[in-house]
């Protein structure tokens, strides 16, 4: 079977070009929307009982306690080998280092004499972190969410993950000093975090990726009257690679396959100036695919994916910016020359020695990124997502005297007389003291 047969952009019609980069349709449907709607209401009305019932119905697990005890969290350390512990600690350290550097510098200045303005940050008090655990326990997501939440200063950090929660997830949470962990997954976990139950507290903002039901639940709960803030819209994973004729086809094939294994609706794209490279990559994909464990998932993803041959790198960049990928790899002779031309991407990987897997796990950057073209307006997760920015102003008497004419003139021009009087009354008091 042929996968990713190279397409020559120059030979495509205008209509073909318009439809080529259309993202695959997700499995979301009216049925998913209604199912999620019903689950949200069930949890809102019946609380913990609904969570226990849904654990049995959906995850086939009967629990006596949703809460993971501190003893269970501590015991996870005994169930993990030293090699994995060492790797997890290395990733933890790198992610911590990068996110600590994101702490905003204090803004504190006089915009004019006697007018002091500041920008300060305050943490979101309570956050809920959803950690997926379907065909694979994504313990790396614990680091990507809990580390910036800790650095931001969030006081209450709650994790929800489908039962049974793996020892790897518990150990990652332990490294991040998270002790409030609950065994509940899917849209019911989002409902619990959004509404609160007797056991699980309501949070102020929900973070984390998930399947189509989790995504739909986050969308619905954020739109309710009593709704809650969410991190960002989440869709199927994406990777786009820009490569010239000097790129290594073995590397490119491996990178495309690595992102394809996230799910059947993932999409990977190669944009290249070389038909020879494109053909070699397509051949190499078939060879590398044979022994991969998630082969069936990858094949479905490859059916959504593309290799496109363009006339030059400028055309590749323009097409990439139009698509706005979640992950962008630049495997060209001088990748930094291209970097300055990239406007839309969630996370960028430069050169042959920067696999996308590094960003997923251990380089230090965050792997929670906008998808579905949202990179045109949204950024990847950072500590600022766990904080609020507050501005402060303090004006001296003389400072107000100096600024008053400007304020009064502008307020009068906007016909906001009360605004003007709030200043003029003060000015009158100051003039009486002179």
């Amino acid at each position: 079977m042929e996968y990713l047969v190279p397409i020559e952009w120059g030979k495509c019609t205008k209509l073909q070009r318009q439809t080529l980069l259309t993202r695959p349709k997700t499995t979301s449907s009216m049925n998913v929307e209604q199912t999620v709607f019903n689950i949200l209401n069930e949890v809102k009305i019946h609380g913990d009982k609904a969570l226990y019932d849904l654990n049995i119905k959906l995850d086939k697990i009967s629990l006596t306690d949703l809460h993971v005890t501190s003893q269970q969290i501590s015991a996870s350390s005994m169930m993990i080998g030293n090699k994995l512990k060492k790797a997890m600690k290395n990733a933890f350290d790198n992610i911590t280092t990068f996110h600590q550097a994101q702490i905003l510098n204090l803004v504190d200045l006089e915009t004019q004499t006697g007018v002091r303005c500041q920008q300060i940050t305050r943490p979101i008090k309570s956050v809920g972190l959803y950690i997926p655990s379907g065909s694979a326990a994504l313990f790396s997501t614990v680091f990507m969410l809990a580390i910036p939440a800790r650095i931001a200063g969030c006081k209450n950090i709650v994790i929800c993950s489908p039962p049974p929660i793996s020892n790897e997830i518990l150990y990652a949470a332990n490294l991040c000093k998270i002790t409030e962990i609950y065994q509940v997954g899917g849209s019911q976990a989002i409902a619990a975090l959004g509404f609160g139950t007797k056991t699980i507290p309501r949070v102020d903002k929900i973070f984390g990726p998930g399947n189509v039901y989790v995504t739909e639940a986050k969308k619905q709960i954020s739109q309710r009257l009593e709704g809650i803030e969410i991190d960002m819209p989440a869709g199927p994973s994406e990777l786009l690679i820009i490569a010239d004729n000097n790129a290594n086809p073995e590397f490119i094939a491996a990178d495309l396959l690595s992102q394809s294994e996230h799910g059947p609706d993932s999409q990977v794209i190669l944009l290249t100036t070389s038909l020879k490279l494109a053909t070699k990559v397509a051949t190499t994909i078939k060879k590398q695919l044979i022994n991969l464990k998630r082969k069936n998932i990858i094949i479905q993803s490859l059916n959504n994916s593309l290799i496109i041959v363009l006339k030059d790198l400028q055309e590749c960049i323009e097409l990439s910016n139009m698509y706005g990928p979640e992950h962008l790899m630049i495997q060209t002779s001088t990748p930094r020359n291209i970097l300055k031309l990239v406007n839309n991407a969630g996370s960028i990987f430069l050169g042959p020695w920067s696999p996308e897997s590094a960003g997923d796990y251990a380089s230090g950057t965050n792997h929670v990124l906008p998808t579905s073209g949202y990179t045109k307006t949204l950024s990847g997760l950072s500590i600022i997502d766990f904080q609020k920015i507050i501005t402060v102003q303090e004006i001296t008497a003389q400072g107000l005297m100096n600024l008053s004419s400007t304020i009064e003139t502008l307020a009068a021009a906007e016909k906001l007389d009360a605004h003007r009087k709030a200043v003029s009354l003060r000015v009158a008091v100051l003039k009486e003291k002179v």
Side-chain angles (χ1 to χ4, degrees):
M1 184 174 178
E2 291 294 321
Y3 305 111
L4 297 180
V5 177
I7 298 167
E8 295 186 62
W9 187 252
K11 295 181 180 179
C12 294
T13 65
K14 184 177 180 180
L15 180 60
Q16 287 172 327
R17 290 184 178 189
Q18 288 174 345
T19 58
L20 261 181
L21 293 186
T22 301
R23 286 171 165 85
K25 291 182 179 179
T26 64
T27 54
S28 181
S29 63
M30 288 299 293
N31 182 51
V32 171
E33 291 175 17
Q34 188 60 50
T35 298
V36 168
F37 180 82
N38 292 341
I39 289 174
L40 293 183
N41 286 339
E42 193 173 342
V43 174
K44 184 179 181 183
I45 296 168
H46 300 292
D48 286 345
K49 183 182 183 303
L51 298 180
Y52 283 112
D53 291 345
L54 289 165
N55 271 345
I56 295 172
K57 180 181 177 181
L58 302 178
D59 291 310
K60 314 301 180 190
I61 291 178
S62 178
L63 299 173
T64 57
D65 192 355
L66 296 172
H67 185 254
V68 178
T69 67
S70 57
Q71 290 81 4
Q72 288 173 297
I73 297 172
S74 298
S76 65
S77 176
M78 304 297 293
M79 308 301 292
I80 297 175
N82 289 332
K83 183 178 180 181
L84 179 55
K85 285 183 186 178
K86 184 178 180 181
M88 291 175 74
K89 183 60 167 61
N90 190 15
F92 172 87
D93 290 342
N94 288 347
I95 296 164
T96 299
T97 298
F98 184 77
H99 287 76
Q100 279 179 334
Q102 295 175 357
I103 296 173
L104 294 177
N105 292 326
L106 177 67
V107 176
D108 189 346
L109 52 82
E110 279 194 327
T111 53
Q112 69 179 63
T113 302
V115 181
R116 181 184 179 186
C117 293
Q118 294 173 269
Q119 178 177 284
I120 61 175
T121 59
R122 293 291 183 267
I124 296 172
K125 183 180 178 182
S126 180
V127 296
L129 314 181
Y130 184 78
I131 311 301
S133 183
S135 56
L138 300 182
F139 58 86
S140 58
T141 301
V142 176
F143 292 152
M144 299 297 174
L145 300 178
I147 289 173
R150 277 284 180 218
I151 294 171
C154 299
K155 185 177 179 181
N156 303 317
I157 304 174
V158 180
I159 284 179
C160 283
S161 191
I165 301 180
S166 72
N167 288 308
E168 291 82 4
I169 287 176
L170 294 179
Y171 183 70
N174 198 27
L175 280 176
C176 298
K177 294 181 170 55
I178 308 299
T179 57
E180 198 166 356
I181 305 173
Y182 298 96
Q183 303 178 88
V184 57
S187 48
Q188 60 270 30
I190 304 304
L193 292 169
F195 300 131
T197 70
K198 185 177 180 181
T199 301
I200 300 176
R202 185 184 191 275
V203 299
D204 298 317
K205 189 172 182 179
I206 299 173
F207 296 80
N211 62 19
V212 64
Y213 292 94
V214 170
T215 300
E216 179 63 25
K218 288 172 67 179
K219 173 186 170 185
Q220 287 191 26
I221 208 162
S222 68
Q223 293 173 345
R224 290 200 173 208
L225 186 63
E226 73 277 52
I228 191 169
E229 186 71 19
I230 61 172
D231 49 358
M232 66 182 74
S237 196
E238 306 162 352
L239 169 66
L240 187 146
I241 301 176
I242 295 175
D244 60 17
N245 59 348
N246 295 309
N248 186 319
E250 297 281 342
F251 292 178
I252 292 175
D255 292 327
L256 294 172
L257 289 169
S258 74
Q259 200 63 21
S260 297
E261 70 178 348
H262 273 295
D265 50 2
S266 297
Q267 186 174 49
V268 296
I269 297 171
L270 169 62
L271 305 181
T272 180
T273 55
S274 170
L275 178 59
K276 182 179 178 180
L277 176 75
T279 305
K280 182 65 175 175
V281 168
T283 303
T284 306
I285 282 174
K286 291 172 66 176
K287 292 178 181 177
Q288 292 187 9
L289 178 62
I290 294 171
N291 298 316
L292 294 176
K293 293 178 181 178
R294 295 168 70 88
K295 180 179 177 180
N296 291 337
I297 290 175
I298 292 171
I299 289 172
Q300 294 177 72
S301 173
L302 292 178
N303 289 330
N304 303 323
S305 303
L306 299 162
I307 294 178
I308 303 176
V309 182
L310 299 106
K311 66 179 180 181
D312 54 33
L313 287 177
Q314 181 61 39
E315 201 169 49
C316 292
I317 296 161
E318 289 172 1
L319 203 56
S320 175
N321 280 330
M322 186 188 306
Y323 181 80
E326 177 190 21
H327 305 95
L328 172 63
M329 302 185 74
I330 303 175
Q331 300 195 35
T332 61
S333 301
T334 54
R336 283 209 169 266
N337 289 348
I338 290 178
L339 177 62
K340 61 188 177 184
L341 302 174
V342 175
N343 296 320
N344 305 321
S347 190
I348 302 173
F349 302 78
L350 299 180
W353 312 112
S354 306
E356 188 274 335
S357 306
D360 273 353
Y361 289 109
S363 63
T365 61
N366 206 291
H367 76 204
V368 180
L369 304 165
T371 62
S372 307
Y374 283 107
T375 58
K376 294 180 177 70
T377 55
L378 297 178
S379 308
L381 204 69
S382 69
I383 69 162
I384 199 60
D385 292 289
F386 295 87
Q387 295 177 320
K388 303 163 292 179
I389 295 176
I390 303 171
T391 55
V392 180
Q393 45 266 298
E394 182 181 14
I395 305 175
T396 64
Q398 187 58 50
L400 181 60
M401 288 291 287
N402 295 339
L403 192 58
S404 60
S405 176
T406 295
I407 300 170
E408 290 171 322
T409 300
L410 296 174
E414 291 192 345
K415 298 180 174 59
L416 297 176
D417 197 41
H419 279 64
R420 181 184 60 79
K421 284 186 177 180
V423 174
S424 61
L425 286 172
R426 286 176 168 83
V427 171
V429 170
L430 290 172
K431 286 182 177 179
E432 287 177 3
K433 292 181 178 181
V434 175

